[in-house]
Amino acid sequence: MITGGSNGIGRACSERFAAEGANVLIADLLVDPGQAAVEAIRSTGATAAFVQLEAASQASNEAMAAAALEHFGTIDIVVTAAGISHGDYKSGDVEAGLKRMQQAAEASAVNPAASLIDLDLDDWRRVLDVNLTGTLLAIQSTAAVMLDQDKPGSIVTIASIAARDPLWGSPSYPVSKAGVWMLTKNAARTLAPLGIRVNAIGPGFIETNMTAALGEVDDYNNLVIGLTPMGRKGKPSEIANVALFLASDEASYVTGELIHPDGGWFTG
Ligand SMILES: NC(=O)c1ccc[n+]([C@@H]2O[C@H](COP(=O)([O-])OP(=O)(O)OC[C@H]3O[C@@H](n4cnc5c(N)ncnc54)[C@H](O)[C@@H]3O)[C@@H](O)[C@H]2O)c1
């Protein structure tokens, strides 16, 4: 079961897990790209289904877990990749992303502390609701099901390098990801005696819709690439590889970890 599976990292995880033989339930706010992802998986002969999810809603997360049971009878692996970079983020709307970056640059030119002092509380709340509370709700709804199974399973959350690096600008995103990191450790400690492993992935900059606007602006793009020792952004499939490892029995003694596939970001 992959939240945020319609695009980017979640979609790459969906495709990789399906290629390894998993039946995949994609759960996402965006229906059209989610159904396209399902069709792409089915065209390989693998099994996939889609359910619409509002990550910040408890009822929607419970419906997602129920849909997984209805389709496949068990929940063995969960990846929580649904996420937003700012309150009104819409995956795939690069124009809106560029406009927002320009507005932030203008505000910062007037007041270098604008991203903190003038932070819109609605933005803060929405980012925390989707990224942090959404991860909590996905863990709650699926762990409850897993605990009733003979073989409970494994949960992989998607944090970020921003869990441990405040990056630049608004605090909403890094705070939400630091929360995902601690939530992952807390859930891992609680669920370990019950047979569920919970680990986090903290990607560096990955080529997805979320970084598409940044990729259009040379100054930002070069800054990010310059700070990444490997000298490039990562590919979604490089995150899916790590998710596959963490979810698999190859990681049977790994829980509560945060692994950074980040091109060497944290070598400094
Ligand atoms: N791209 C990066 O550089 C990067 C780096 C570190 C962490 N991440 C994290 O990886 C995860 C996936 O992001 P991505 O880069 O693949 O971006 P993306 O935009 O390609 O994918 C995010 C997906 O989450 C879905 N989503 C957003 N809000 C939702 C909601 N309220 N309910 C359900 N689904 C929702 C979107 O529709 C989209 O399909 C996010 O949590 C992001 O914060 C990304």
Side-chain angles (χ1 to χ4, degrees), residues 3-11 27-31 33-34 52-57 60 80-85 89-92 126 129-131 135 158-162 173 176-177 201-212 233-234 236 239:
T3 78
S6 291
N7 291 287
I9 290 170
R11 178 163 177 168
D28 200 292
L29 194 59
L30 296 183
V31 177
Q52 190 173 27
L53 168 72
E54 165 47 68
S57 153
S60 187
T80 63
I84 56 177
S85 52
Y89 174 74
K90 185 169 179 230
S91 186
R126 179 66 180 158
D129 276 355
V130 174
N131 292 0
T135 304
I158 305 294
S160 167
I161 50 172
Y173 184 80
S176 75
K177 293 300 186 177
I201 300 177
F205 284 83
I206 310 301
E207 286 172 1
T208 68
N209 288 338
M210 194 173 277
T211 56
K233 285 184 272 186
I239 308 308

Side-chain angles (χ1 to χ4, degrees), residues 115-135:
S115 62
L116 178 67
I117 305 296
D118 300 331
L119 175 64
D120 178 2
L121 265 190
D122 287 341
D123 180 279
W124 167 262
R125 290 193 179 110
R126 179 66 180 158
V127 173
L128 284 165
D129 276 355
V130 174
N131 292 0
L132 179 53
T133 307
T135 304

